[in-house]
Amino acid sequence: MPLIELVPDLDLERLALEHVVPALLSRGFYHVDGLLGNVAGDAVRDQVKDMHLSGALQDGRLAGSVPGIHRRSIRGDKIAWVSGTERGCEAIGYLLNVIDKIISVCASRLGGKAIRERSKAMVACYPGNGAGYIKHVDNPNFDGRCITCIYYLNKNWNRQEHGGILRIFPEGKSYEVDIEPLFDRLLFFWSDRRNPHEVQPSYATRYAITVWYFDSKERAEAKRRFQVLR
Ligand code: AKG
């Protein structure tokens, strides 16, 4: 990995305290641009591109199947799960470390949630063939996922030409929120029914990395009820 300028802990703490926590508590989502800077952002992007080009990404799976409906008309991404410690995933590991630091500062300030663990990272690529992901809720049934964090990796994205917008439909609100999947942008939102969202058809290769942070109590209960997610 090239020498990168590390994001200072103090900046991450300020980001968490001054922006992420208030926005999650009031609106339920927040995004920040320029999280890692160009050098580290490029290193993450290169690793994701390498994974894609080497064939490491596989069709994203559905929680269940609907007879007669093709998977790709529901979700058309290709994905891989990584911990960030794998060879060739060092920059992704650094990104995960940064997100973990932000969430660890937020954790005790989000109204009684106990956020101590997260999923592996889902590296995702929409290949640019018009595939997207229909409107859905990440955690509709108390599976433990509490905060969704998505880091985008796409340079020179033009929504008119490339589509690929993440549209959030905040519960009970009359407006929608459009998030462009722009390079070095990190998005946070509650994973439950407060934030239904969709990925609109994407006409250029669209990369993102997603992690889900768990509420420990809900997760423990979910593990008793369901098969473990990941
Ligand atoms: C999902 O994987 O559940 C998504 O909704 C993807 C969102 C995105 O990539 O913007």
Side-chain angles (χ1 to χ4, degrees), residues 75 77 79 122 124 126 133-134 136-138 145 148 150 152 164-167 179 181 187 189 197-199 206-210 212:
R75 86 178 275 192
D77 55 347
I79 66 163
M122 185 184 80
Y126 290 82
Y133 197 151
I134 62 167
H136 64 282
V137 171
D138 285 350
R145 286 181 289 175
T148 303
I150 310 180
Y152 295 108
I165 295 297
L166 175 80
R167 176 164 288 174
I179 309 285
L187 170 69
F189 59 88
H197 55 281
E198 68 185 10
V199 179
R206 177 191 189 276
Y207 293 120
I209 298 177
T210 303
W212 288 273

Side-chain angles (χ1 to χ4, degrees), residues 55 58 70 78 95 130 147 153 188 194 196 227:
Q58 307 291 325
H70 196 269
K78 294 195 170 293
L95 165 72
I147 300 175
L153 288 156
F188 306 82
R194 283 173 280 188
Q227 217 190 344

